[in-house]
Amino acid sequence: MNAALLREAFAFTELDLAENKQRRLSARQRMRVMKKQRRRNITAVIAGVVCFAVGAILLLPIVQSMSIEGRLGPLVGGIVLVLLALLFFSGAVDKPPSEVDSVEGKAQFVRRESTTWADDVAISETDHYVVIGGHEFKVKPAHYEAFTQDHVYRVYYGPEPLGTLSIEYIGPPEE
């Protein structure tokens, strides 16, 4: 089995694999997660500020007049937007995931066809997966070449946004 092909297809290094075997993220993987988390945090803060501002604009006249008479819509809308802002702000302070898990098993290939419609035009897509130990890992079609059907692999992965971290070839199936 060509371990270099696995490393290239899934963008990990020998150091990444060594750290993942110890159930830890490598420094490079931590940086990648922090970048993704930073983008998500910025988006959450911007959405939170917008929701809070619009909610405050809706609620300000009600607070100034101290009367909700005839203003039930803006009151409910303002409260919902302020609560939504709090939800976005809480998402911005989530701790990035750091758990590394693994699964081992024979590689099985799965393709799923789907069709969506846009402006009366059918758009067909095919998603490719490698199933290992009962877990599905989405792959690009070209990455199929990195696997041999029914051979045994160990996949190190984490929750989103981590996904697949590294893959280790164990060997051919036992007869």
Side-chain angles (χ1 to χ4, degrees), residues 10-167:
F10 294 93
F12 68 92
T13 65
E14 283 295 326
L15 180 59
D16 294 334
L17 179 60
E19 289 291 320
N20 297 161
K21 285 181 179 181
Q22 301 297 316
R23 304 280 188 242
R24 297 186 301 248
L25 292 175
S26 68
R28 194 175 74 86
Q29 291 168 334
R30 279 192 302 276
M31 290 300 293
R32 190 174 77 214
V33 169
M34 286 175 27
K35 277 184 178 178
K36 286 181 180 180
Q37 192 70 31
R38 191 174 310 130
R39 274 186 252 134
R40 287 182 179 185
N41 290 351
I42 290 169
T43 302
V45 167
I46 291 170
V49 167
V50 168
C51 286
F52 188 81
V54 173
I57 289 168
L58 288 173
L59 292 173
L60 189 61
I62 296 169
V63 171
Q64 286 175 336
S65 70
M66 297 301 284
S67 171
I68 62 169
E69 189 174 320
R71 296 183 177 148
L72 188 57
L75 175 67
V76 171
I79 290 172
V80 167
L81 286 170
V82 168
L83 292 175
L84 191 57
L86 293 174
L87 183 66
F88 281 125
F89 289 138
S90 71
V93 294
D94 283 346
K95 182 181 174 197
S98 61
E99 312 92 50
V100 174
D101 204 354
S102 69
V103 63
E104 183 177 315
K106 293 180 181 180
Q108 302 294 316
F109 302 134
V110 176
R111 288 189 316 190
R112 292 204 181 90
E113 307 286 334
S114 64
T115 303
T116 55
W117 290 87
D119 298 324
D120 295 329
V121 175
I123 301 169
S124 296
E125 292 184 9
T126 303
D127 291 323
H128 297 79
Y129 300 88
V130 174
V131 180
I132 296 175
H135 287 76
E136 288 186 357
F137 299 94
K138 190 171 183 177
V139 296
K140 296 176 182 169
H143 294 170
Y144 270 162
E145 298 172 14
F147 294 93
T148 303
Q149 179 87 4
D150 290 326
H151 281 226
V152 180
Y153 297 83
R154 183 175 300 123
V155 180
Y156 297 93
Y157 65 96
E160 285 303 318
L162 293 176
T164 304
L165 298 168
S166 57
I167 302 174

